[in-house]
Amino acid sequence: MNEQADEPLLSGVLPASLKAVRRGSLAIVGLARPEKRNAIDVPTVEGLRTLFSTLPEGIRAAVLYGEGTHFSAGLDLSEAAQTASLMEGALHSQAWHRAFNEIQYGRVPVVSMLHGAVVGGGLELAASTHIRVAERSAYFGLPEGQRGIFLGGGGTVRITRLIGASRVQDLMLTGRTLSAEEGYFLGLSQYLVEPGQGMAKALELAGRIASNSPVSNWAIMHALPRIADADPGMGYFTESLMASIAENTPEAKQRLKDFLEKRAAKVLPGQS
Ligand code: 1HE
């Protein structure tokens, strides 16, 4: 077995609430404030932005998880309680947007591993990742109505795209939570696994993603969601350009040749 030692990433730069290591071609990033249930404060937001905008060469996928018994309790409410002006509130929200955009539209696909509370800004963070693996202990909620606040980390766009505006309104207005199973069937996670198995699954998926062509991964991250938001005419046109760019790389030529010369894996049933 090829055991690779983890190397710290950005040590001395990241806040104590974040841990990041490199394991081969993967970055493994942990929310590391379990005593506050991984509530997300400004240093954490800025740390995520710095980390995802400066991933070193050779990293080809990332895994994001939360330490302790919950993925994240969302916005650090002690900060929200101190907002001094309308302008400061808007700028605070925009800092979250910048950080989460670095995740969604960064260099590499990100797989999140969800367990326990995935609420408010924690769900907004998860929604900015490309693949979400939920353990059965995970539950989803948007208690903004109860707290007297609003989504501010991009959730009005990203979470509504995942489950629709009416479900987001229900969660925000009533404070109800969705179980891991409900979240899975509605599309909040693409994978549902038993407690304790999420990290292994997330690492396995990230490893698979890391073995793809980087140009294909980039197109899937950057072109696909923009095409989905475009009018169909522009979408088809952009798709044709992206298809041509992807298939005209030397790596694509080699991968296609490998298949045609029977050196590449087939697509068979049972791949989970
Ligand atoms: C926090 C936070 C927080 C916990 N900000 N400090 N999010 C919420 O409304 C969720 C609020 N949190 C909870 O409902 C519960 O904490 C949990 C269900 C997540 C976990 O419960 P539990 O019993 O395991 O922990 P706890 O005892 O409630 O919390 C442990 C400590 O973490 C405690 O602090 P301590 O000093 O008394 O030990 C809590 O105060 C602290 N803590 N959650 C600050 N969120 C960009 S806009 C996004 C808008 C939102 O995210 S709204 C959703 C906010």
Side-chain angles (χ1 to χ4, degrees):
M1 194 154 113
N2 184 18
E3 290 285 345
Q4 283 163 307
D6 291 349
E7 291 164 39
L9 285 173
L10 292 187
S11 64
V13 174
L14 294 180
S17 56
L18 281 179
K19 276 188 189 157
V21 295
R22 177 180 185 154
R23 186 177 300 169
S25 58
L26 304 184
I28 304 174
V29 182
L31 301 172
R33 205 184 172 207
E35 69 287 359
K36 293 288 181 189
R37 307 309 183 251
N38 297 321
I40 302 170
D41 58 7
V42 168
T44 308
V45 168
E46 289 305 329
L48 288 168
R49 185 176 65 79
T50 305
L51 176 68
F52 282 97
S53 60
T54 61
L55 285 175
E57 265 314 282
I59 297 284
R60 294 176 72 154
V63 169
L64 175 69
Y65 70 97
E67 292 197 340
T69 45
H70 300 282
F71 175 71
S72 172
L75 169 71
D76 186 322
L77 294 169
S78 64
E79 281 185 350
Q82 286 162 18
T83 310
S85 69
L86 292 179
M87 191 71 199
E88 196 185 311
L91 291 171
H92 179 263
S93 166
Q94 287 179 314
W96 282 56
H97 295 165
R98 278 193 297 276
F100 292 5
N101 277 343
E102 287 294 345
I103 296 174
Q104 183 178 3
Y105 295 113
R107 279 197 35 219
V108 301
V110 182
V111 181
S112 53
M113 199 296 268
L114 310 177
H115 72 303
V118 186
V119 304
L123 181 51
E124 294 183 292
L125 172 59
S128 73
T129 66
H130 305 90
I131 306 271
R132 289 165 297 280
V133 176
E135 292 191 348
R136 281 189 194 274
S137 66
Y139 65 96
F140 305 96
L142 295 172
E144 280 77 2
Q146 291 158 284
R147 303 284 177 245
I149 56 176
F150 193 65
L151 288 165
T156 56
V157 176
R158 292 194 183 95
I159 306 172
T160 53
R161 297 232 157 115
L162 290 176
I163 60 172
S166 77
R167 289 199 183 94
V168 172
Q169 283 177 323
D170 175 26
L171 294 176
M172 291 180 74
L173 288 170
T174 67
R176 73 177 288 205
T177 56
L178 296 174
S179 66
E181 288 79 10
E182 289 171 315
Y184 171 69
F185 286 113
L186 293 176
L188 281 177
S189 78
Q190 296 100 321
Y191 293 83
L192 180 62
V193 299
E194 297 306 317
Q197 295 183 0
M199 199 58 187
K201 185 70 190 173
L203 288 167
E204 180 220 317
L205 295 171
R208 236 192 266 175
I209 291 165
S211 71
N212 291 341
S213 153
V215 174
S216 291
N217 281 352
W218 181 81
I220 293 162
M221 289 173 69
H222 289 265
L224 193 130
R226 290 182 168 106
I227 291 170
D229 288 345
D231 74 80
M234 185 51 78
Y236 292 128
F237 181 67
T238 310
E239 181 189 85
S240 71
L241 297 179
M242 198 62 252
S244 179
I245 291 168
E247 74 199 25
N248 280 295
T249 57
E251 177 154 357
K253 297 287 178 226
Q254 185 60 51
R255 284 173 181 252
L256 296 168
K257 192 164 180 274
D258 287 346
F259 177 77
L260 295 170
E261 293 174 3
K262 318 262 181 242
R263 285 190 299 272
K266 295 185 187 184
V267 180
L268 296 172
Q271 178 70 284
S272 58

